[in-house]
Amino acid sequence: MFESAELGHRIDKDVWDREVPPLREALLDAQYDLAAAKFPVVILVAGVDGAGKSETVNTLNEWMDPRHIQTHGLAEPSDEERERPYMWRYWRLLPPKGKIGIFDGSWYTWPILERAYGRIKTSDLDQDMARVARFEQMLIHEGALVLKFWMHLGKTVQKKRLKSLEKDPKTSWRVTPRDWKHFEMYDTFRQVAERALRATSTGDAPWIVVEATDPRYQRLTVGRILLERLRARLDHPAPVVPPPPSQPPAPTLDGVNILKALDLSKRMDKKDYEEELLILQGKLNLLTRHRNFRKHAVVLVFEGVDAAGKGGGIRRITQALDARRYHIHPTAAPTEEERAQPYLWRFWRNLPRRGEVAIYDRSWYGRVLVERVEGFCSEADWRRAYSEINDFEDQVVRNRSLLLKFWLSISQEEQLRRFEERETTPFKRFKITEEDWRNREKWPAYEAATCDMLDRTSTEIAPWTLVESEDKHFGRIKILRTLVQRLEDEL
Amino acid sequence: MFESAELGHRIDKDVWDREVPPLREALLDAQYDLAAAKFPVVILVAGVDGAGKSETVNTLNEWMDPRHIQTHGLAEPSDEERERPYMWRYWRLLPPKGKIGIFDGSWYTWPILERAYGRIKTSDLDQDMARVARFEQMLIHEGALVLKFWMHLGKTVQKKRLKSLEKDPKTSWRVTPRDWKHFEMYDTFRQVAERALRATSTGDAPWIVVEATDPRYQRLTVGRILLERLRARLDHPAPVVPPPPSQPPAPTLDGVNILKALDLSKRMDKKDYEEELLILQGKLNLLTRHRNFRKHAVVLVFEGVDAAGKGGGIRRITQALDARRYHIHPTAAPTEEERAQPYLWRFWRNLPRRGEVAIYDRSWYGRVLVERVEGFCSEADWRRAYSEINDFEDQVVRNRSLLLKFWLSISQEEQLRRFEERETTPFKRFKITEEDWRNREKWPAYEAATCDMLDRTSTEIAPWTLVESEDKHFGRIKILRTLVQRLEDEL
C-alpha cells in the first residue's frame, strides 16, 4: 500500500514554478464554484511524523481563499472534549456546505496511536475503523466530498529527515523525543496504519497515499488531486432525479401495534400523585448530588404527538434539578446554520458534559417521524437514519452517558380534548397552531411511522420507555420513576 | 427491537381467505416482471427456533412459481464447504438476475450461534457482522434486492409452542433436545440476535421482524412485505443516468511510478536458469507432498500485459505438480451465467479446497484494469472494487489459504518484439489478435491503472510480487523462488 510512496518521487523547481500559478488559479475558481454548489469538502491530512503534514495544510491555505477554508490542527483533546463521545470534537468542526474543512490530525489519529502503543487490541482497532467507515459513509450520504491524504516517508528517508531537522538550530525544536520514539516504532506504525487504511478505503472515500520525500512533489500532488476531485464533483453533480413517491407507512395486518397495545386507562389520583411527586423529586435531587453523578452525562429524549404532555413531564424533572446542571433543547425546524450540516449535527453539538443533564424536547427522531411523514426528506434518507441514529446513540452510551428515551402516548380523542382546551384557555392558546390540527389529520401515518421507529431504535443499549400519558399524573410519575430507578441502578 | 413482535398479532381465517388469492396473483405478476427486470432477489429467513421458518419458506414456494425460486435450507456445512472461506457456500447459491433466492438459514446463523454458545467473543461477532454488512452492501451495489426477515416468538409463546409440538405424536419428532437447550438460552440468544440485527440493519437492507405466534399473520405479513418491496423496485427502477465520463488514469507528476522503477535489465543466462529451474521444481514437488500441505489451499494470481509471460510462468509451476492437485482458470470475458452474478462470483466458485492449487491466469483484477480502462464498468463500480477485492482476499487468507499475486512486468519495446515474434512464428500466431494491438496503444492508461491497483491492493495480508519479466528466465525463476520460499515458510 505504501510502496509507490517510497520511490523517491520529486520534481524540479522549474516544474513547480510553471505548474503552481495555473493550479492556484484553478483551485480558486473551484472554491468559488463550491460556494454556489453547496456541498461541504472534508480533507484529512494524516500520515507519519515529519512528513510535512502541517506544511501541506499551510500551502493549501496559501493557495486558496482562506475565508472559505476552516483548518483544524488537532492535538490532545481538551477537558470539554474528553467528557463527550470520541467523535464529538470532530462533529463540532465539520465544515458547512460550500466550505472546505481541513483536518490536520483526525478521527484516525488516536485509534492508530493507541493500537501502535499496544493499549488497544487489533479487534478494537477494527471496531473503531468500522465505526469510522460508517461515519464517513454518512457524511457522503449527506453530500460531503471526503478526501483522505496519507503522507508517507520511507524508513530511511524519515530518519534522514529527523536528523537534518535536529542538526539545524532553526528547526531542531521541531524534533521531540516523541518523534524519535515513534521512529523506533516505525514498522509497528506502518503495519497498524496499513490495517486502518485498508479497512476504510472505500469507493467513495479512498485513501490517497502521497510520498513526502520532496515537499514540492508532495504539495503539488495534493493540490492537483484536490482540484481534480473538486472539479469532477462540480462539473458532474449528482443528477436531480425526482424520487419515487414515498408510500405512507402501512398499518399492520391485524391493526394491532405497540401503541394500541398500551393500556391508556392507567390513572393516578391527584392526592397520590402529589405525594409521590414530592418523594420522587426529592430522590432525584439527591441523586444528582451523589458523588458518582459527575461521572456520567444524562441525555433525556422526549417524543410524542402534540399535546401528549412532553413539556409538563420535563418541568416535573427540572423542578428537582439545579438550574446549572440541565439544559432543555427544544427541537423546531432547523436553522440556516443547521441546514448546512448533516441532520444529526445540531444534536451532537448539544451533548452534555459529565455531570450535566441535556433534555431534548423532540429530537433526532424528527427525521423518521415528521420528516418522513411530511416528505421533508427522501425515502433513502429516512431509511438510513435508523442505523445512523443507532450508531449515534451507541457512541453516547459508550461514553458512559445515561440515555433515556420517553415516548408519551395519548389517544386521538384525548388529543382532541386537549386541543380544544388549549383553544379556549387564554394562557394556553400559544400552544396550539394550525399545524397541530393539520398533523392530527395524519394520525394513522404518524402512528405507523412511530411504530417503525420504536421497532428499529428500541435497542438493548438505548430502549424506549413507553409512557401511558392519557392521565397526566400517571404519565409524569412513570417518567420520574423510570429516571430515578435508572440513576439508582447506575450510581 | 422485538417488542412489536410480542403483541400476539393474529388474523382470522376469513381475512386469510380473502387476502391470499389476490396476494398470490400479485406475487406471480411481480415474479414475471422480475424475470424481465433482471435483478436478483435475496431473501433471508432467520429467527428463533420453532418460529415456522421453513413453513414460511414453503408457503412462498406454494404461492409463487417455484421454477423461478431457488430455496436453500442450510444445515451444517459440508466437507467441501468447510475447506473454503465461510462465505463460499453462500456465494455458490446466490440467485442469478431475474430470480429469487430464499435462504432458510444464512450467513447470520453461525456467528449468532457461536456467540450465544460463548465460543466467540462479542468483538468477533462485531467483526463478523461488519463483514456481513459489507457483503450485503456489495450485493446491493451489484443490483440485488435484499430482504431479511427475522421470525420472532416471545419467550412464553415459544415454550408453549415447543410443548404442544412435543405432545402431539405427529409433530413430536420436530422437537429435539437442542431445541430445549436453545430455549434455556432464550435470553442470551435474544441479546446476541439483537446485537447482530442492529449492526446489519441498513437503509437498503433493514431487518424486518415478524411475529410468528399466528402462522396466518406471519405468512401473510411476509408475503405482503415481499410484494411491496418487489413492486417498489419494479415500478421505480433506478434511473438510467449517463455516468460522467471516466477520466483516463493520470500519470504521476514526475513520471516515476512503481513499474518504471523496476530494473528490467535483470537477466539470467540459460545454463543457470535450467539448473535452478530443476532444483526449484524439485523442491516445489516435494513441498506439495509435505504432510502440512493438505492444511492449506493455494491460490496463485497471474497478471501482466499481453505477452508478459504469464502462460510460461504458470507452465513452469504446473510441470512440478501432480495434475490432480491444480486447476488453471483462464479468465476471459464472462459467460452469460457469470454476467448474471456479481463480478466476483466466478472467482469465488473456483476457490480451491485444502491441498489444492488454483491458478488464475488473469483474475478478479480485470475489473480495475481492462474494465476500468475500456469503460466496461462505471467509475463507481471500479472505485468500490478495490475494497471489495481486499475483503475477498481477506476471507481467502483467513481461511489459511496461501495467496500469491504476481505482476509480470515487461517494457513496451519488449512487448512489441514479442508481438512481432508471435506474428512471424506459425505456432505462436494464435496468441496474437487485433485486440492485443489495440490494447497496446493504451499503454499509458493501462500502466497508470496498474499502479493504482498495486497501490490499493498490495496489502500486508496479500502483497503483490512484482516480477521483472523482460528476461523470461529471470522472471520464471523469481516466480518459482517466491512460491517455494512461501511454502517453506508456511509448512
Side-chain angles (χ1 to χ4, degrees):
Chain A
M1 216 155 210
F2 300 120
E3 293 90 337
S4 282
E6 296 181 345
L7 298 173
H9 284 290
R10 59 191 325 118
I11 54 163
D12 295 333
K13 185 157 182 310
D14 58 323
V15 176
W16 171 267
D17 290 342
R18 193 180 62 228
E19 295 281 335
V20 167
L23 175 62
R24 291 180 66 163
E25 198 183 329
L27 279 172
L28 280 169
D29 282 349
Q31 224 184 340
Y32 295 130
D33 292 347
L34 174 65
K38 294 251 176 266
F39 61 87
V41 180
V42 176
I43 300 177
L44 308 188
V45 180
V48 304
D49 286 332
K53 293 190 289 286
S54 49
E55 293 81 352
T56 306
V57 170
N58 290 343
T59 303
L60 290 179
N61 271 288
E62 264 173 56
W63 285 352
M64 292 192 282
D65 181 344
R67 290 170 304 170
H68 299 292
I69 302 182
Q70 302 173 347
T71 299
H72 309 290
L74 292 169
E76 299 282 329
S78 70
D79 284 7
E80 272 272 322
E81 289 166 339
R82 276 181 213 282
E83 295 189 11
R84 267 87 171 193
Y86 175 67
M87 291 301 293
W88 186 77
R89 66 190 310 210
Y90 305 108
W91 271 92
R92 281 214 291 176
L93 303 175
L94 287 177
K97 288 171 186 165
K99 303 268 185 194
I100 296 175
I102 305 183
F103 291 84
D104 177 6
S106 70
W107 38 90
Y108 289 95
T109 312
W110 306 104
I112 289 176
L113 270 178
E114 293 287 286
R115 176 62 203 132
Y117 276 111
R119 288 193 288 253
I120 63 173
K121 286 180 294 185
T122 297
S123 57
D124 298 323
L125 178 72
D126 286 353
Q127 284 172 308
D128 286 343
M129 291 302 103
R131 286 185 200 109
V132 160
R134 287 205 298 273
F135 168 69
E136 293 178 356
Q137 194 56 54
M138 181 278 305
L139 288 181
I140 289 161
H141 278 309
E142 292 278 325
L145 174 64
V146 179
L147 287 168
K148 307 187 289 197
F149 292 101
W150 185 267
M151 303 305 178
H152 184 76
L153 281 177
K155 196 170 180 178
T156 47
V157 182
Q158 198 190 16
K159 189 170 183 178
K160 243 191 264 173
R161 171 83 58 107
L162 288 171
K163 287 219 158 155
S164 91
L165 283 170
E166 209 171 34
K167 224 165 54 190
D168 185 342
K170 290 196 298 294
T171 56
S172 63
W173 59 273
R174 292 183 51 195
V175 182
T176 63
R178 181 166 165 272
D179 289 329
W180 281 113
K181 167 121 207 252
H182 281 184
F183 176 72
E184 277 163 38
M185 296 166 64
Y186 184 93
D187 295 325
T188 308
F189 265 106
R190 185 187 164 113
Q191 203 177 11
V192 173
E194 207 227 64
R195 191 174 183 95
L197 268 56
R198 185 150 40 86
T200 54
S201 258
T202 59
D204 296 317
W207 277 99
I208 302 150
V209 179
V210 181
E211 179 164 354
T213 309
D214 173 44
R216 281 195 293 257
Y217 173 85
Q218 176 185 19
R219 293 171 204 179
L220 204 48
T221 298
V222 169
R224 276 172 54 154
I225 291 172
L226 170 58
L227 176 64
E228 181 199 300
R229 298 290 305 274
L230 261 176
R231 281 262 65 104
R233 176 75 186 271
L234 289 165
D235 299 341
H236 303 282
V240 180
V241 182
S246 190
Q247 297 299 314
T252 55
L253 255 178
D254 58 354
V256 173
N257 65 43
I258 197 160
L259 292 177
K260 287 191 181 147
L262 288 176
D263 177 8
L264 294 184
S265 72
K266 290 181 178 169
R267 323 199 74 78
M268 180 171 240
D269 75 34
K270 201 170 174 212
K271 206 170 137 278
D272 292 348
Y273 164 71
E274 285 173 350
E275 207 165 299
E276 186 151 2
L277 182 67
L278 282 177
I279 295 170
L280 286 168
Q281 287 183 336
K283 280 189 183 176
L284 178 57
N285 184 269
L286 275 177
L287 283 163
T288 62
R289 291 190 277 143
H290 189 287
R291 69 192 153 81
N292 286 340
F293 187 79
R294 297 199 69 93
K295 294 184 182 163
H296 303 274
V298 178
V299 177
L300 306 180
V301 173
F302 286 84
E303 292 281 356
V305 297
D306 293 320
K310 296 184 291 294
I314 291 170
R315 263 194 307 282
R316 296 318 176 280
I317 290 172
T318 56
Q319 282 165 358
L321 301 180
D322 180 335
R324 287 165 302 181
R325 286 209 190 284
Y326 72 85
H327 297 276
I328 301 177
H329 304 288
T331 301
T335 64
E336 191 184 341
E337 191 189 3
E338 290 166 344
R339 286 197 305 275
Q341 294 283 0
Y343 75 99
L344 282 171
W345 183 80
R346 56 181 175 145
F347 307 105
W348 265 98
R349 68 169 173 171
N350 289 333
L351 283 180
R353 295 183 72 148
R354 303 224 165 111
E356 290 181 353
V357 181
I359 302 174
Y360 291 89
D361 184 353
R362 299 195 189 277
S363 68
W364 44 92
Y365 285 99
R367 175 141 282 205
V368 296
L369 295 173
V370 57
E371 291 190 52
R372 173 184 178 182
V373 173
E374 304 294 339
F376 296 156
C377 68
S378 74
E379 178 166 341
D381 286 339
W382 61 257
R383 279 195 183 276
R384 68 180 158 85
Y386 298 114
S387 55
E388 290 166 355
I389 288 171
N390 286 338
D391 280 347
F392 168 50
E393 294 181 353
D394 179 56
Q395 292 180 69
V396 170
V397 170
R398 279 191 299 111
N399 189 45
R400 290 190 298 169
S401 302
L402 309 184
L403 170 61
L404 286 91
K405 307 186 292 191
F406 297 101
W407 176 265
L408 275 56
S409 200
I410 57 172
S411 69
Q412 208 169 354
E413 300 71 43
E414 175 65 15
Q415 188 192 44
L416 181 63
R417 213 190 50 69
R418 294 188 188 178
F419 275 13
E420 284 168 350
E421 186 191 325
R422 286 180 174 187
E423 293 216 312
T424 52
T425 312
F427 69 88
K428 286 190 175 171
R429 290 196 61 170
F430 77 96
K431 284 179 151 189
I432 181 100
T433 65
E434 276 304 307
E435 203 188 324
D436 295 333
W437 288 102
R438 272 199 305 279
N439 289 346
R440 189 178 148 73
E441 283 167 27
K442 295 185 185 162
W443 186 279
Y446 273 99
E447 185 173 271
T450 305
C451 290
D452 278 358
M453 171 193 86
L454 295 171
D455 287 347
R456 303 208 164 278
T457 61
S458 197
T459 59
E460 198 198 349
I461 56 160
W464 279 95
T465 301
L466 302 184
V467 181
E468 300 84 348
S469 299
E470 194 87 345
D471 174 57
K472 286 183 178 180
H473 297 156
F474 182 88
R476 291 170 187 169
I477 295 297
K478 181 166 182 179
I479 292 167
L480 270 167
R481 251 190 225 149
T482 308
L483 175 58
V484 164
Q485 184 64 54
R486 180 71 190 280
L487 286 170
E488 284 176 346
D489 291 348
E490 300 277 350
L491 300 184
Chain B
M1 215 153 211
F2 301 120
E3 293 90 337
S4 281
E6 297 181 347
L7 299 173
H9 283 290
R10 58 188 328 116
I11 53 163
D12 296 333
K13 184 155 184 311
D14 58 323
V15 176
W16 170 267
D17 290 342
R18 192 178 65 229
E19 295 282 336
V20 167
L23 175 61
R24 291 179 65 163
E25 198 182 330
L27 279 172
L28 279 170
D29 282 349
Q31 223 185 341
Y32 295 129
D33 292 347
L34 173 65
K38 294 254 176 260
F39 61 85
V41 179
V42 176
I43 301 177
L44 308 189
V45 180
V48 305
D49 287 333
K53 295 190 287 288
S54 49
E55 292 81 353
T56 306
V57 170
N58 290 343
T59 303
L60 290 178
N61 271 289
E62 269 170 44
W63 284 354
M64 292 192 282
D65 181 344
R67 289 170 305 170
H68 299 292
I69 302 182
Q70 302 173 347
T71 299
H72 310 289
L74 292 168
E76 299 281 330
S78 69
D79 285 8
E80 271 272 321
E81 290 166 340
R82 275 182 212 281
E83 295 189 10
R84 266 87 170 192
Y86 176 66
M87 290 302 291
W88 186 76
R89 64 190 312 211
Y90 305 108
W91 271 91
R92 281 214 291 177
L93 302 175
L94 288 176
K97 287 172 186 163
K99 304 268 184 193
I100 296 174
I102 304 182
F103 290 85
D104 177 7
S106 70
W107 39 89
Y108 289 94
T109 312
W110 305 103
I112 290 176
L113 269 177
E114 293 285 289
R115 176 62 202 132
Y117 275 111
R119 287 193 289 252
I120 62 172
K121 287 180 294 186
T122 297
S123 58
D124 298 323
L125 178 72
D126 286 354
Q127 285 172 306
D128 286 342
M129 291 302 103
R131 286 185 201 111
V132 160
R134 286 206 299 273
F135 168 69
E136 292 177 357
Q137 194 55 55
M138 181 278 305
L139 288 181
I140 288 161
H141 278 309
E142 293 279 323
L145 175 64
V146 179
L147 286 168
K148 306 186 289 195
F149 292 101
W150 184 268
M151 303 305 178
H152 184 75
L153 282 177
K155 196 170 179 178
T156 48
V157 182
Q158 198 190 14
K159 190 171 183 177
K160 244 190 263 171
R161 171 82 57 106
L162 287 172
K163 287 219 160 154
S164 91
L165 283 171
E166 209 171 33
K167 224 164 55 190
D168 184 340
K170 289 197 297 295
T171 56
S172 63
W173 60 273
R174 292 182 52 194
V175 182
T176 62
R178 181 165 166 273
D179 289 328
W180 280 113
K181 167 119 207 253
H182 282 183
F183 176 72
E184 276 163 38
M185 295 166 64
Y186 184 93
D187 295 327
T188 308
F189 265 106
R190 184 185 165 114
Q191 203 177 10
V192 173
E194 207 227 63
R195 192 175 184 95
L197 267 56
R198 185 151 41 85
T200 54
S201 259
T202 59
D204 296 317
W207 276 99
I208 302 150
V209 179
V210 181
E211 178 164 356
T213 309
D214 173 42
R216 281 195 293 257
Y217 173 85
Q218 175 185 20
R219 292 171 205 179
L220 204 48
T221 298
V222 169
R224 276 172 55 152
I225 291 172
L226 170 57
L227 176 64
E228 181 199 301
R229 297 290 304 275
L230 260 177
R231 280 264 63 107
R233 176 74 185 271
L234 289 165
D235 298 341
H236 302 284
V240 180
V241 183
S246 188
Q247 297 299 314
T252 57
L253 255 178
D254 58 354
V256 173
N257 65 42
I258 198 162
L259 293 177
K260 286 191 180 147
L262 288 177
D263 177 6
L264 294 184
S265 72
K266 288 181 180 170
R267 323 200 74 80
M268 180 173 240
D269 76 34
K270 200 169 175 213
K271 205 169 138 277
D272 292 349
Y273 164 70
E274 284 173 349
E275 208 164 303
E276 187 151 1
L277 181 67
L278 281 177
I279 295 170
L280 287 168
Q281 287 184 335
K283 280 189 184 176
L284 177 58
N285 184 271
L286 274 177
L287 283 162
T288 62
R289 290 189 276 143
H290 189 287
R291 70 194 153 80
N292 286 340
F293 187 79
R294 297 200 69 92
K295 293 185 183 162
H296 304 275
V298 177
V299 177
L300 306 179
V301 173
F302 286 84
E303 291 280 357
V305 297
D306 294 319
K310 295 184 292 293
I314 291 170
R315 264 194 306 283
R316 297 316 177 281
I317 290 172
T318 55
Q319 281 165 358
L321 300 181
D322 179 336
R324 287 163 303 180
R325 286 209 190 284
Y326 73 86
H327 296 277
I328 301 176
H329 304 288
T331 301
T335 65
E336 192 185 341
E337 191 188 6
E338 290 166 345
R339 286 196 306 274
Q341 294 282 1
Y343 74 99
L344 282 171
W345 183 81
R346 57 181 173 143
F347 307 106
W348 266 98
R349 70 167 171 171
N350 289 333
L351 284 180
R353 296 183 71 148
R354 303 225 165 110
E356 290 181 352
V357 181
I359 302 174
Y360 291 88
D361 183 354
R362 299 195 190 278
S363 69
W364 44 93
Y365 286 99
R367 176 142 281 206
V368 296
L369 296 173
V370 58
E371 289 189 52
R372 172 183 179 183
V373 174
E374 305 294 339
F376 296 156
C377 69
S378 75
E379 179 165 341
D381 286 339
W382 61 257
R383 278 194 185 277
R384 69 179 157 85
Y386 299 113
S387 55
E388 291 166 356
I389 287 172
N390 286 339
D391 280 347
F392 168 50
E393 294 181 355
D394 180 55
Q395 293 181 68
V396 170
V397 171
R398 279 190 300 109
N399 189 45
R400 290 191 298 169
S401 302
L402 309 183
L403 169 61
L404 287 92
K405 307 186 291 192
F406 297 102
W407 175 265
L408 276 55
S409 200
I410 57 172
S411 69
Q412 207 170 353
E413 299 71 44
E414 176 63 16
Q415 188 192 44
L416 181 63
R417 212 191 51 69
R418 293 188 189 179
F419 275 13
E420 284 168 349
E421 186 192 325
R422 286 180 174 188
E423 292 217 313
T424 52
T425 312
F427 67 89
K428 286 189 176 172
R429 290 196 64 169
F430 76 99
K431 286 177 151 191
I432 181 104
T433 65
E434 275 305 304
E435 205 189 322
D436 294 335
W437 288 102
R438 273 199 306 276
N439 289 347
R440 188 178 149 74
E441 282 166 28
K442 296 183 185 162
W443 185 279
Y446 273 100
E447 186 174 88
T450 304
C451 290
D452 278 358
M453 170 192 87
L454 295 171
D455 287 348
R456 302 209 165 279
T457 61
S458 197
T459 59
E460 200 198 345
I461 56 160
W464 278 95
T465 302
L466 302 184
V467 182
E468 301 85 346
S469 299
E470 193 87 344
D471 175 57
K472 285 181 178 180
H473 297 158
F474 182 88
R476 291 170 186 170
I477 293 297
K478 181 166 182 180
I479 292 167
L480 270 166
R481 253 189 223 148
T482 308
L483 176 57
V484 165
Q485 183 66 53
R486 180 71 190 280
L487 287 170
E488 284 176 346
D489 291 348
E490 300 278 349
L491 300 185

